[in-house]
Amino acid sequence: MPRPHLLLQVLIPLGMTLTALAASLAASLTASEALTDKVDFHRDIEPLFRATCYTCHGPDHQEGDLRMDSRAALLTGGEDGPGMVVGNGAKSAIVARSLGEGDGARMPKKKAPLAASEIAVIRRWIDQGAPWPATAGSDARHWAYVAPKPTITAPTVGDRAWVRNPIDAFVLARLEAERLKPEAEAPREALIRRLSLDLTGLPPGPADIATFVTDRSPDAYERVVERLLASPHYGERWTRLWLDLARYADTNGYEKDERRTMWHWRDWVIDAFNADLPFDQFTIKQLAGDLLPDATLADRIATGFHRNTLINREDGVDQGEMRWSMLIDRVSTTGAVWLGTSVGCAQCHDHKYDPVSQKEFYQLLAFFESSDEPDIPVASQADQRRRAELEAAVAKAKAELAAETPALVKAESEWLSRQGSASWTVAEAQATSAEGTTLTRRADGAWLASNARQSDTYTLTFTAQGAVNALRIEVLPDPSLPAGGPGTSGNGNFVLSEIRLSAGGKAIALSGASADFSQDDWPVANALDGKDDTGWAVSPHSGKPHTATFRTGTAVSGPLTVTLVNRSPHAQHVIGCMRLSTSSETAPERSTVLPPDLAALVAKRERSDAERKRLREHWRAQAPELKEARTQLAKAEKNLKDMPQTTAMVLQEKRGAGRPTAIVHPRGAWLAKGETVSADVPKFLPPLADPAQANRLSLARWLVSGQNPLTARVTVNRFWEQYFGRGLVETSEDFGLKSAKPS
């Protein structure tokens, strides 16, 4: 076998030191008296009596007046005399009745007979004087309930050179007692493979193996350990163990098994292992991170440990009872994970074997009764970085749009000077619909759609006044349209699939399409590509006016017809409000059709600061010089809006909660209500520091205090089990009176 000290170097998860580990393990060995044949009452006798005898001969009932839960009562005996003769197991009544000797029925009645080995233990205990700890002058508690003390003396061994730490001495002592010798140290290839699988769950790479095999430095092994502990896969591998203990699931269970977001807590556990978070903090944050002073978001996420319960949200389920079931689960899980004790058995009655009463079970439940169970918004680190990038992009685009550069000031001045001339003329057009959409003319020359169809084609006919070198389509918002328009879709969008112009029945080619804004993948140029399934759209900038201009290439005049095709693959994406204008300019995108209120401001000789600001904002909203900044702003704002928003399931203490209380439920039934009890811990363990200030935080600190004998033992045993396949106590989930004996 490999020397234990080699793998003991890696038994330091979550801040547990090697010294503390060795002390805890050594104390367990001492307390169990594993290397002697002495019968231990709490380990060997009391669990046997509880399981087979106390039902008929315990504190609640005494058949034949015989009581067996105290030494004095057993010596006094019942109707048939004393139950045992100290120092003489063969002459003791309880041994004889267990063997079926004498006139009476074989004991235990109505149960399977005791095994020969069990009867032999009882007989040996009586032969040794039937020591009952309370009367024998030693600690009356079960070995696991006694705080570990590093007072062990390592046994003397023959091959002292083989021993490198106290654990080695115990292993070698046992081997020498069996006249066995340790195996030679494993090959280095095997050692690094074991290390890699134990610490990261992954095999080592060829280069890692070659480096270790050829590295003959004294600390080569230790450096491999350090490298593997620093790997991100270390946290992933050890989190698997913790997720099992926490009953982790990404769904609620029960019939619908709906999805839930628990991965934020899972990632917190991975980070905790990788950061080598000390085990006491690891515990406190998961049980009561929200109660820590200045609790961070990570502290709150840590409390997701106890949100891993099954949840039933189906109709007809009493949610009060459902929450009560969740509290039951939290108490049972806390007891199993940190205390190695099946406290859940006391939900319905006093524990049959371990010293946990039903009242104490509900006192533990009270610690969790005062907690709410919210889902709080949270973003992953990657999402947080992405959000910061998008917010920076928005700020940059807004700064560019607000910049007062000489070039922009000049362009704005030129634009204002052009607005005084009749650059654009609103066409006095007649509008018709091919599919039956109702088009009504507004006072400003725009046409408003009602009773809109799934798709449609609008035809506008008018007589041009002079030469026409360009067309402008304004799509305008209106309160009657969904989301304010300018389209008729639910979000106010539209798709202009195609725009066509004809003069006297002859088609006129259009070119040079430009717009103040175009939706991603739906540019205004699509309105000239001859395809009905593409086009110009403006999401997410619905509810705002937008304009598109097109050049004719050659001047046209006389009767003109403009056809607007709305054939989007998306339903109801037709233009809801539009206005047609013409211009004789060859660069029409340089000027604007102004709304009446802004046109009045242009006509004024003197303007206030607020009026100048309105004109500037209007120009900047469509100036070609700022098109790229507007596009980038719209894109960043849309991506920011579309960022996924996830939540984390946490515990949160109710406001103003004093010392928590809970109701005892006789027989463990939801509808049965008994006395009200305050939060407290079982009496067989050390008390809380201040019971009057009991809450989840005090419970968590109590679990990891130096006075609590179970948490350190249970935790070290669990890690030992992961490395060696079997714990020092084989029943890693049970350190109670029915637990396996420590190795």
Side-chain angles (χ1 to χ4, degrees):
M1 59 181 292
R3 295 185 178 182
H5 79 272
L6 295 175
L7 280 181
L8 278 175
Q9 294 176 57
V10 301
L11 281 171
I12 319 173
L14 302 175
M16 182 167 287
T17 65
L18 183 61
T19 302
L21 169 70
S24 179
L25 299 180
S28 293
L29 290 169
T30 302
S32 67
E33 300 176 315
L35 301 181
T36 74
D37 291 329
K38 185 177 180 181
V39 178
D40 180 86
F41 175 78
H42 282 299
R43 184 191 68 211
D44 303 317
I45 302 301
E46 187 175 25
L48 195 57
F49 281 3
R50 281 182 178 273
T52 61
C53 307
Y54 287 178
T55 302
C56 299
H57 305 288
D60 300 326
H61 186 69
Q62 296 89 37
E63 286 279 342
D65 293 331
L66 175 64
R67 182 168 177 172
M68 297 180 60
D69 63 327
S70 80
R71 189 175 192 270
L74 191 55
L75 288 172
T76 300
E79 295 175 352
D80 297 328
M84 64 179 178
V85 178
V86 174
N88 194 339
K91 297 293 184 180
S92 295
I94 58 173
V95 173
R97 296 297 295 272
S98 297
L99 291 168
E101 297 174 349
D103 298 333
R106 182 169 184 167
M107 294 295 156
K109 189 183 298 183
K110 298 181 180 179
K111 291 184 179 180
L114 297 182
S117 59
E118 293 172 326
I119 298 174
V121 167
I122 296 174
R123 179 173 176 173
R124 194 163 74 250
W125 171 66
I126 296 173
D127 289 343
Q128 293 174 0
W132 207 295
T135 60
S138 61
D139 197 307
R141 291 172 291 171
H142 175 51
W143 67 267
Y145 303 156
V146 181
K149 296 178 182 179
T151 57
I152 190 68
T153 300
T156 301
V157 295
D159 187 3
R160 295 182 180 180
W162 190 87
V163 176
R164 301 186 192 180
N165 66 52
I167 304 299
D168 285 356
F170 284 97
V171 174
L172 186 58
R174 177 62 182 275
L175 290 174
E176 290 180 345
E178 301 291 338
R179 298 183 180 181
L180 298 173
K181 291 185 177 181
E183 290 284 354
E185 185 171 297
R188 293 172 82 84
E189 294 87 349
L191 288 178
I192 191 172
R193 178 177 175 82
R194 293 171 184 170
L195 270 179
S196 296
L197 291 174
D198 279 337
L199 290 180
T200 68
L202 300 171
D208 297 327
I209 296 174
T211 299
F212 180 58
V213 168
T214 58
D215 187 353
R216 295 299 170 179
S217 57
D219 63 343
Y221 185 92
E222 287 78 3
R223 285 191 286 109
V224 173
V225 170
E226 293 300 327
R227 176 178 62 79
L228 293 172
L229 288 174
S231 167
H233 302 305
Y234 168 76
E236 295 166 355
R237 181 261 186 268
W238 284 93
T239 291
R240 288 171 52 202
L241 164 66
W242 198 254
L243 295 190
D244 287 343
L245 294 172
R247 67 274 195 242
Y248 176 82
D250 288 308
T251 57
N252 285 338
Y254 291 104
E255 184 261 338
K256 286 185 169 56
D257 203 24
E258 296 170 332
R259 301 287 300 177
R260 63 186 179 193
T261 306
M262 282 305 307
W263 59 267
H264 287 295
W265 173 78
R266 176 203 65 197
D267 286 1
W268 181 90
V269 177
I270 294 173
D271 292 342
F273 273 97
N274 283 332
D276 198 23
L277 186 68
F279 188 76
D280 56 350
Q281 296 181 38
F282 183 72
T283 294
I284 290 169
K285 289 176 183 289
Q286 289 184 89
L287 292 181
D290 59 306
L291 291 172
L292 291 172
D294 303 319
T296 65
L297 176 61
D299 294 337
R300 299 186 67 195
I301 290 173
T303 64
F305 176 90
H306 269 317
R307 292 299 304 277
N308 280 299
T309 51
L310 287 163
I311 302 173
N312 193 343
R313 301 297 188 202
E314 298 170 32
D315 294 340
V317 172
D318 187 322
Q319 290 305 314
E321 183 176 7
M322 182 68 249
R323 183 174 184 275
W324 178 71
S325 297
M326 292 161 63
L327 297 178
I328 296 291
D329 175 74
R330 286 169 190 161
V331 176
S332 300
T333 301
T334 300
V337 171
W338 278 277
L339 300 176
T341 302
S342 54
V343 297
C345 293
Q347 172 190 346
C348 305
H349 48 71
D350 292 349
H351 202 295
K352 292 298 183 183
Y353 305 111
D354 297 337
V356 182
S357 68
Q358 186 185 32
K359 177 180 178 180
E360 289 173 328
F361 176 88
Y362 287 98
Q363 287 177 320
L364 285 172
L365 185 142
F367 284 103
F368 302 99
E369 179 67 77
S370 58
S371 303
D372 286 328
E373 295 141 356
D375 295 354
I376 60 173
V378 63
S380 66
Q381 293 183 356
D383 286 344
Q384 292 175 30
R385 289 192 296 269
R386 176 60 174 158
R387 181 173 292 277
E389 292 170 358
L390 291 174
E391 288 173 346
V394 168
K396 179 182 177 182
K398 286 183 175 180
E400 291 179 7
L401 289 173
E404 294 286 348
T405 65
L408 288 176
V409 170
K410 180 181 178 182
E412 182 184 352
S413 178
E414 292 175 351
W415 170 78
L416 271 174
S417 67
R418 286 196 300 273
Q419 303 317 305
S421 62
S423 301
W424 289 96
T425 303
V426 176
E428 296 293 328
Q430 299 297 314
T432 59
S433 160
E435 304 295 337
T437 299
T438 301
L439 295 173
T440 304
R441 186 178 176 84
R442 298 195 319 192
D444 60 0
W447 289 90
L448 179 63
S450 59
N451 192 31
R453 296 297 186 251
Q454 293 288 322
S455 60
D456 212 332
T457 298
Y458 301 153
T459 302
L460 293 86
T461 58
F462 62 99
T463 299
Q465 304 297 316
V468 173
N469 282 303
L471 295 175
R472 167 160 280 180
I473 297 294
E474 294 176 272
V475 288
L476 305 171
D478 190 273
S480 67
L481 298 172
T488 62
S489 70
N491 65 355
N493 201 11
F494 67 90
V495 175
L496 175 60
S497 303
E498 290 292 310
I499 179 172
R500 304 186 185 111
L501 172 66
S502 62
K506 181 182 178 180
I508 305 297
L510 296 174
S511 62
S514 66
D516 66 320
F517 176 76
S518 292
Q519 179 178 333
D520 287 347
D521 302 323
W522 296 87
V524 70
N526 284 355
L528 299 178
D529 65 3
K531 301 176 182 178
D532 284 354
D533 58 351
T534 63
W536 174 48
V538 296
S539 180
H541 283 196
S542 302
K544 301 177 181 179
H546 296 284
T547 59
T549 60
F550 306 89
R551 296 183 185 134
T552 63
T554 181
V556 295
S557 60
L560 301 177
T561 301
V562 175
T563 303
L564 304 177
V565 180
N566 300 269
R567 295 292 177 191
S568 167
H570 309 294
Q572 297 295 143
H573 277 61
V574 300
I575 296 175
C577 187
M578 63 195 169
R579 182 166 55 201
L580 174 65
S581 302
T582 63
S583 176
S584 60
E585 293 192 12
T586 56
E589 65 276 4
R590 306 299 303 183
S591 59
T592 310
V593 175
L594 294 174
D597 57 338
L598 293 182
L601 294 181
V602 171
K604 294 178 67 173
R605 290 188 178 184
E606 298 291 337
R607 306 182 190 99
S608 67
D609 290 343
E611 290 170 339
R612 285 193 293 271
K613 181 180 179 183
R614 284 193 61 199
L615 286 169
R616 181 180 301 113
E617 290 175 346
H618 181 82
W619 174 74
R620 287 174 179 260
Q622 49 198 325
E625 292 86 353
L626 295 170
K627 180 179 179 181
E628 179 61 24
R630 290 195 302 272
T631 300
Q632 293 303 320
L633 176 61
K635 184 176 181 179
E637 287 180 335
K638 179 180 184 301
N639 290 337
L640 195 58
K641 180 181 178 181
D642 293 343
M643 278 282 294
Q645 181 69 58
T646 60
T647 58
M649 302 171 68
V650 302
L651 290 184
Q652 180 174 295
E653 197 73 356
K654 297 175 182 177
R655 290 186 177 182
R659 184 176 180 180
T661 61
I663 297 174
V664 176
H665 292 259
R667 305 180 309 282
W670 160 244
L671 294 178
K673 305 294 174 68
E675 66 174 311
T676 298
V677 295
S678 298
D680 209 343
V681 296
K683 290 183 175 57
F684 77 95
L685 292 171
L688 285 173
D690 184 0
Q693 301 299 319
N695 58 19
R696 276 184 291 113
L697 183 57
S698 65
L699 173 67
R701 288 171 171 163
W702 171 80
L703 285 171
V704 294
S705 71
Q707 288 70 46
N708 191 318
L710 285 173
T711 300
R713 279 198 177 100
V714 170
T715 303
V716 171
N717 188 71
R718 194 169 279 130
F719 288 125
W720 183 283
E721 180 182 53
Q722 289 297 304
Y723 284 117
F724 296 106
R726 183 169 60 183
L728 292 166
V729 176
E730 286 191 53
T731 53
S732 58
E733 76 290 348
D734 184 7
F735 272 58
L737 299 178
K738 294 287 285 182
S739 68
K741 300 175 183 179
S743 166

